[in-house]
């Protein structure tokens, strides 16, 4: 192979390599934004299902009545789980928090037995809990229902804000990604503008000239998509080490959806960009190419 030919091959390789790396980084950002949106939904469920409220029981309630009440709650559509806290366990927990036992100076246990209830995420909002509270007051075993309304409202508001922010971020990433990938492909096609002009002069039709550019960029898009998927998977392995209680790869059933989104945009954007970039030079006259 001659030195000049080697230089041309190296330039062609470097051009395609740079294009693939640029596209893969942009597709990685698209995949990351989509993943964050889906993870925020899972995180929202996780946070909401850890919101709990306390059902304080009457002083004279019997164990059999408590078990019956707990069974009724466990089958309710709004309940995820319940936990029975005895008077003894309640005072023990309070003693650990205060660092001293209140019964030593009071002479008796002032606390009542209770049921700690975790809700299904659909019902983890102040309005639903207020309706549940009014329903629970009909049970004679229940003295009162205690929950932090302000905390629940704050959690729901923050979840909505995060979701809205991520939607805006993904929309911005899509616009930026299209612009970056389009510019990358336009630069690649720009270097071949005289070749396109020559092919026109020898009578090649537009579709024949356009086809190799489109196919080449689609292939680059597929390779870039695979690289982006690899980067995203490596990132997930790292993140799950930090947040293994919330994020587990075995639970990420929507990963194929994310990979599908990356592959779709990798093919779609490169195909459209190549199509319109080549068309631009096909419309120009040979003399105009020198002024670009």
């Amino acid at each position: 192979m001659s030195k000049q030919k080697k230089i041309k091959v190296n330039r062609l390789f470097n051009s395609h390599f740079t294009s693939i790396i640029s596209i893969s980084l942009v597709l990685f950002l698209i995949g990351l934004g989509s993943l964050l949106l889906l993870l925020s939904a899972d995180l929202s469920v996780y946070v909401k299902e850890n919101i709990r409220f306390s059902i304080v029981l009457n002083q004279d309630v019997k164990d059999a009545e408590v078990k019956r009440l707990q069974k009724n709650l466990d089958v309710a559509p709004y309940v995820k789980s319940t936990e029975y806290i005895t008077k003894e366990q309640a005072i023990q927990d309070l003693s650990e928090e205060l660092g001293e036992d209140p019964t030593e100076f009071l002479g008796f246990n002032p606390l009542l037995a209770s049921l700690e209830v975790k809700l299904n995420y659909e019902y983890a909002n102040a309005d639903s809990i207020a309706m549940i509270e009014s329903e629970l007051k009909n049970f004679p075993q229940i003295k009162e229902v205690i929950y932090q309304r302000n905390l629940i409202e704050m959690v729901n508001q923050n979840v909505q804000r995060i979701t809205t922010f991520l939607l805006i971020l993904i929309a911005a990433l899509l616009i930026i990604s299209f612009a970056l990938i389009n510019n990358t492909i336009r630069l690649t096609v720009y270097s071949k503008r005289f070749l396109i002009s020559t092919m026109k002069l020898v009578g090649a039709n537009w579709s024949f000239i356009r086809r190799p550019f489109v196919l080449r960029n689609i292939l680059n898009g597929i390779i870039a998509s695979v690289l982006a998927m690899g980067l995203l998977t490596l990132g997930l392995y790292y993140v799950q080490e930090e947040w293994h209680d919330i994020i587990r790869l075995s639970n990420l059933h929507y990963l194929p959806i994310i990979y599908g989104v990356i592959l779709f945009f990798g093919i779609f954007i490169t195909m459209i960009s190549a199509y319109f970039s080549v068309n631009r030079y096909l419309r120009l006259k040979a003399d105009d190419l020198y002024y670009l």
Side-chain angles (χ1 to χ4, degrees):
M1 186 182 295
S2 65
K3 185 177 180 181
Q4 187 176 4
K5 194 171 183 179
K6 284 183 179 180
I7 292 172
K8 287 183 179 180
V9 170
N10 288 335
R11 284 178 179 175
L12 182 63
F13 174 79
N14 290 335
S15 173
H16 287 303
F17 179 77
T18 303
S19 176
I20 288 170
I21 295 299
S22 301
I23 294 169
S24 66
L25 291 175
V26 174
L27 292 174
F28 169 73
L29 290 176
I30 292 176
L32 183 62
S34 302
L35 181 63
L36 286 174
L37 182 63
L38 293 174
L39 282 178
S40 71
D42 276 5
L43 185 60
S44 169
V45 171
Y46 176 82
V47 170
K48 287 182 177 182
E49 288 189 344
N50 278 279
I51 292 176
R52 63 178 68 194
F53 65 88
S54 299
I55 299 175
V56 181
L57 304 173
N58 288 318
Q59 179 74 36
D60 56 350
V61 68
K62 297 179 181 178
D63 288 342
E65 292 177 320
V66 173
K67 289 180 180 179
R68 192 182 312 118
L69 174 61
Q70 191 171 8
K71 283 182 179 179
N72 289 334
L73 288 172
D74 285 337
V75 298
Y78 51 81
V79 173
K80 182 174 185 281
S81 64
T82 58
E83 181 184 2
Y84 177 45
I85 308 295
T86 63
K87 294 173 59 176
E88 292 74 19
Q89 185 179 344
I91 196 66
Q92 182 181 349
D93 292 341
L94 182 61
S95 299
E96 290 176 358
E97 290 181 12
L98 297 177
E100 57 181 335
D101 189 352
T103 58
E104 292 181 358
F105 56 86
L106 290 176
F108 67 96
N109 183 356
L111 301 181
L112 297 172
S114 64
L115 286 169
E116 293 292 319
V117 180
K118 285 186 178 181
L119 295 169
N120 287 318
Y121 74 95
E122 301 98 328
Y123 298 90
N125 56 76
D127 294 336
S128 295
I129 295 177
M131 292 176 62
I132 293 167
E133 180 184 13
S134 62
E135 180 183 327
L136 292 176
K137 285 181 178 179
N138 295 324
F139 289 87
Q141 305 95 332
I142 296 174
K143 180 179 176 65
E144 63 177 326
V145 177
I146 299 174
Y147 65 94
Q148 294 178 294
R149 185 182 182 91
N150 291 337
L151 175 63
I152 294 168
E153 289 178 347
M154 184 182 70
V155 167
N156 281 281
Q157 287 173 0
N158 287 337
V159 166
Q160 289 177 355
R161 286 171 185 164
I162 291 170
T163 303
T164 302
F165 170 77
L166 288 174
L167 286 171
I168 295 171
L169 177 64
I170 290 173
L173 283 175
L174 286 174
I175 295 170
I176 294 169
S177 65
F178 185 84
L180 289 175
I181 293 174
N182 186 55
N183 285 336
T184 300
I185 293 173
R186 283 180 65 182
L187 287 172
T188 304
V189 176
Y190 174 81
S191 65
K192 304 290 184 183
R193 65 192 186 282
F194 291 110
L195 175 62
I196 293 172
S197 177
T198 303
M199 294 176 74
K200 279 175 59 182
L201 291 174
V202 298
N205 60 45
W206 284 24
S207 61
F208 179 83
I209 298 171
R210 192 167 46 225
R211 189 181 302 116
F213 288 96
V214 173
L215 292 177
R216 176 72 254 183
N217 281 286
I218 287 175
L219 180 60
N220 287 350
I222 293 172
I223 296 171
S225 299
V226 173
L227 289 176
M229 293 175 199
L231 286 172
L232 192 61
T233 304
L234 288 174
L236 282 172
Y237 271 114
Y238 174 77
V239 170
Q240 75 162 350
E241 293 296 322
E242 300 294 327
W243 295 343
H244 57 85
D245 291 334
I246 302 175
I247 301 172
R248 295 179 183 174
L249 287 181
S250 58
N251 294 338
L252 295 180
H253 52 277
Y254 41 69
L255 265 182
I257 299 173
I258 300 297
Y259 292 155
V261 168
I262 292 174
L263 183 61
F264 170 78
F265 280 106
I267 294 173
F268 178 76
I269 297 177
T270 52
M271 180 180 67
I272 295 298
S273 297
Y275 182 89
F276 286 106
S277 295
V278 175
N279 277 0
R280 181 191 178 198
Y281 296 108
L282 287 172
R283 293 190 188 98
L284 293 174
K285 295 179 180 179
D287 293 340
D288 295 333
L289 298 176
Y290 294 95
Y291 301 102
L292 294 176

